[in-house]
Amino acid sequence: MAQKDTVERILDAAEALFAERGFAETSLRTITSTAGVNLAAVNYHFGSKKALIQAIFVRYLDPLADAVTEELNQAEADDKSLAISDLLMLLTRSVYKVHGHSARRITGFMRLLGLAYTQSQGHLRGYLGERYGSVFKRFVGLLRPACPELSDIDLFWNTHFALGAAVFTLSNQQALAAMLESDTGVNTDINQVVNRLIPFMTSGIKSHQDPASAQGAAQGYFNLPNESH
Amino acid sequence: MAQKDTVERILDAAEALFAERGFAETSLRTITSTAGVNLAAVNYHFGSKKALIQAIFVRYLDPLADAVTEELNQAEADDKSLAISDLLMLLTRSVYKVHGHSARRITGFMRLLGLAYTQSQGHLRGYLGERYGSVFKRFVGLLRPACPELSDIDLFWNTHFALGAAVFTLSNQQALAAMLESDTGVNTDINQVVNRLIPFMTSGIKSHQDPASAQGAAQGYFNLPNESH
DNA sequence: AATCGCCACAAACGTATGTTTGAAACATAC
DNA sequence: GTATGTTTCAAACATACGTTTGTGGCGATT
């Protein structure tokens, strides 16, 4: 075959376009015309637009889950206790293994992850949770002993805070870097952003509330009454 | 007038629906029928769907910007040096002032903020930057002396990391809390999430890289070659 | 050589969208 | 009470969308 498979060309084009504009904002006609294939090809090969979206995530996440699993195996075999930053680097290493060193692919991947949360009325989130939940749980299992001073609930929220910081900034890395450059003249590539993210996430995950404010009232930060409809 | 203005009813309905499903996924017919007004009312009162979206953000952010400005005035008048957590609480207080203590409104507001970043091909972000950039800059001006050990560039990225953590988790607070509850049986309302966010963001913002890895190479975290297209 | 399964293609289908239109209803002022 | 400006309404418009259809080509199998 002289050029790429039709299926692959659709996936490549759709991946880039979805990451750039979102799912609903990207039409099958745009996808197929940039891919250079016939309009009907998407429905023929994937069945529907929804299935195409899922296929893109599978192509991204299946190899990533494998890479993370491999890293986790090795880490557990070494049996050294890993610090939080070690685990974050393990994750970063896995992403690099899969996506190579392409800033475009990493940014795109993060944007898609972010979209999976915000858009796609939950059907995608449920699917991803089913398919990759076990790997995620295993990772958290290693994270657990790395911060013994935290409760499970502390750890849950801090982990998602950190995830949010990563997804949000990496998916908007280009725009943010451009903003910073216009202010300071300093250019920041995605590699540097990741290097900054790791200490941020590390100290953030370690953090916990004052016991006083955790009670909800007293001199703690804020306390809300129940929702008044 | 026995019931709310048509304009206001449209804004209320659109605000809730957009936050729930996104902009492109919400049709004017859905908005007008839940608002109980005629389909043409949106185009009559706002001109277009795009203008409606902007109007919603203005209604949200204008009072918030006023509240933050007021708080900033008072903080600068007091002339006491504010710690990072003080500034985050200042922000939180402003949000509460504007939106009252409604979890639904706060979640919705955060979802809209998140959407403004991911969707809306940048035209919305540009508009918001123009209109509220000065308030944001003023806030960062107070944040600056609160972390003297950070460079301007450190501060820029850490601020956006923290913003990402807040937007991402607060906009998905319901789903995340439900996930946690099904695992542990513990319920978490948005108030508690905010109380957890503040220490997370505080210690995250304070963080900075090892000088060694900041150079880009050496024993620092990662280093990427340039993008290979 | 004929047949079969797979794929690409142009065209069409049905539906949902944002927007516009023109008339009716309403409120306000003279 | 008539006139004027504003708002509501049902209907239609034009377009864009995801999907389906039928045809034809191409290679592999028999």
Side-chain angles (χ1 to χ4, degrees):
Chain A
M1 115 189 54
Q3 60 180 0
K4 278 189 180 172
D5 200 28
T6 299
V7 170
E8 206 170 342
R9 302 184 58 181
I10 291 175
L11 286 171
D12 286 342
E15 175 185 302
L17 289 168
F18 282 148
E20 192 176 322
R21 321 175 187 193
F23 300 126
E25 294 83 353
T26 306
S27 71
L28 292 185
R29 282 169 175 83
T30 309
I31 293 171
T32 51
S33 73
T34 50
V37 304
N38 188 271
L39 167 61
V42 168
N43 287 280
Y44 177 76
H45 286 287
F46 297 93
S48 68
K49 187 182 181 180
K50 231 181 210 172
L52 169 63
I53 294 174
Q54 285 199 353
I56 287 175
F57 276 89
V58 168
R59 186 175 70 148
Y60 256 115
L61 291 178
D62 269 359
L64 179 61
D66 290 347
V68 171
T69 301
E70 197 181 319
E71 291 270 355
L72 287 175
N73 289 340
Q74 191 174 333
E76 287 184 339
D78 289 358
D79 199 31
K80 283 180 294 198
S81 73
L82 297 176
I84 299 177
S85 62
D86 294 327
L87 287 165
L88 294 177
M89 286 171 64
L90 182 155
L91 225 50
T92 313
R93 215 158 42 232
S94 307
V95 172
Y96 285 166
K97 259 193 203 165
V98 174
H99 297 147
H101 285 179
S102 159
R104 182 185 52 77
R105 286 188 67 87
I106 294 171
T107 304
F109 171 59
M110 284 294 167
R111 289 194 71 93
L112 289 176
L113 257 191
L115 288 178
Y117 269 79
T118 58
Q119 300 193 301
S120 79
Q121 320 86 336
H123 91 283
L124 190 53
R125 176 155 43 182
Y127 175 75
L128 298 180
E130 274 182 36
R131 187 159 182 137
Y132 306 106
S134 62
V135 181
F136 183 74
K137 286 216 171 93
R138 227 186 125 191
F139 180 81
V140 173
L142 277 185
L143 189 56
R144 172 71 277 193
C147 24
E149 73 281 12
L150 297 186
S151 72
D152 281 358
I153 297 176
D154 288 336
L155 187 55
F156 173 89
W157 284 108
N158 283 358
T159 305
H160 282 92
F161 294 157
L163 180 64
V167 168
F168 184 86
T169 48
L170 288 181
S171 68
N172 291 94
Q173 184 260 340
Q174 292 180 27
L176 292 173
M179 207 187 302
L180 179 64
E181 184 165 14
S182 84
D183 277 2
T184 68
V186 176
N187 183 44
T188 318
D189 70 15
I190 198 166
N191 166 40
Q192 295 170 296
V193 177
V194 171
N195 283 348
R196 292 175 175 281
L197 254 173
I198 292 179
F200 178 94
M201 295 167 78
T202 303
S203 42
I205 291 177
K206 283 183 198 152
S207 75
H208 56 276
Q209 302 172 274
D210 273 350
S213 69
Q215 308 282 356
Q219 62 266 54
Y221 302 113
F222 290 100
N223 190 33
L224 283 184
N226 280 339
E227 169 102 353
S228 56
H229 275 277
Chain B
M1 110 191 55
Q3 60 180 1
K4 279 187 179 172
D5 200 28
T6 298
V7 171
E8 205 171 339
R9 301 184 59 180
I10 292 175
L11 285 171
D12 287 341
E15 176 187 300
L17 289 167
F18 281 148
E20 192 175 322
R21 304 132 93 124
F23 300 126
E25 294 84 353
T26 306
S27 71
L28 292 186
R29 283 169 176 81
T30 310
I31 293 170
T32 50
S33 73
T34 52
V37 303
N38 187 270
L39 167 62
V42 168
N43 287 280
Y44 177 76
H45 286 287
F46 297 94
S48 70
K49 187 183 183 181
K50 228 181 212 171
L52 169 62
I53 294 173
Q54 285 200 353
I56 287 176
F57 275 90
V58 167
R59 188 174 71 148
Y60 256 116
L61 291 179
D62 269 0
L64 179 61
D66 290 347
V68 171
T69 301
E70 197 181 320
E71 291 270 355
L72 288 174
N73 288 341
Q74 191 175 332
E76 287 186 337
D78 290 357
D79 200 29
K80 284 182 294 201
S81 73
L82 297 176
I84 298 177
S85 61
D86 294 326
L87 287 165
L88 295 178
M89 288 172 65
L90 183 155
L91 227 48
T92 313
R93 216 159 40 230
S94 307
V95 173
Y96 286 166
K97 259 193 204 166
V98 174
H99 296 147
H101 285 178
S102 158
R104 182 185 52 77
R105 286 188 68 85
I106 295 170
T107 304
F109 171 58
M110 284 296 169
R111 288 194 72 91
L112 288 176
L113 258 190
L115 289 177
Y117 268 78
T118 58
Q119 300 194 305
S120 77
Q121 319 87 338
H123 91 284
L124 192 53
R125 177 157 42 185
Y127 175 74
L128 298 180
E130 274 184 35
R131 188 160 180 137
Y132 306 106
S134 62
V135 181
F136 183 75
K137 286 218 170 91
R138 229 187 124 189
F139 179 82
V140 174
L142 276 185
L143 190 57
R144 174 67 278 192
C147 25
E149 75 279 13
L150 298 185
S151 73
D152 281 357
I153 296 177
D154 289 335
L155 187 56
F156 173 90
W157 285 108
N158 285 357
T159 305
H160 282 92
F161 294 157
L163 180 64
V167 168
F168 184 85
T169 48
L170 289 182
S171 68
N172 291 95
Q173 184 260 339
Q174 294 181 25
L176 292 173
M179 208 188 298
L180 178 63
E181 184 166 13
S182 83
D183 277 2
T184 67
V186 177
N187 182 43
T188 318
D189 69 15
I190 198 167
N191 167 39
Q192 294 168 297
V193 178
V194 172
N195 283 348
R196 292 175 176 282
L197 254 172
I198 291 179
F200 178 95
M201 293 167 78
T202 302
S203 43
I205 291 177
K206 283 183 197 151
S207 76
H208 56 274
Q209 302 172 275
D210 272 350
S213 69
Q215 309 280 355
Q219 62 265 52
Y221 302 112
F222 290 99
N223 190 31
L224 283 182
N226 282 340
E227 169 101 352
S228 57
H229 278 275

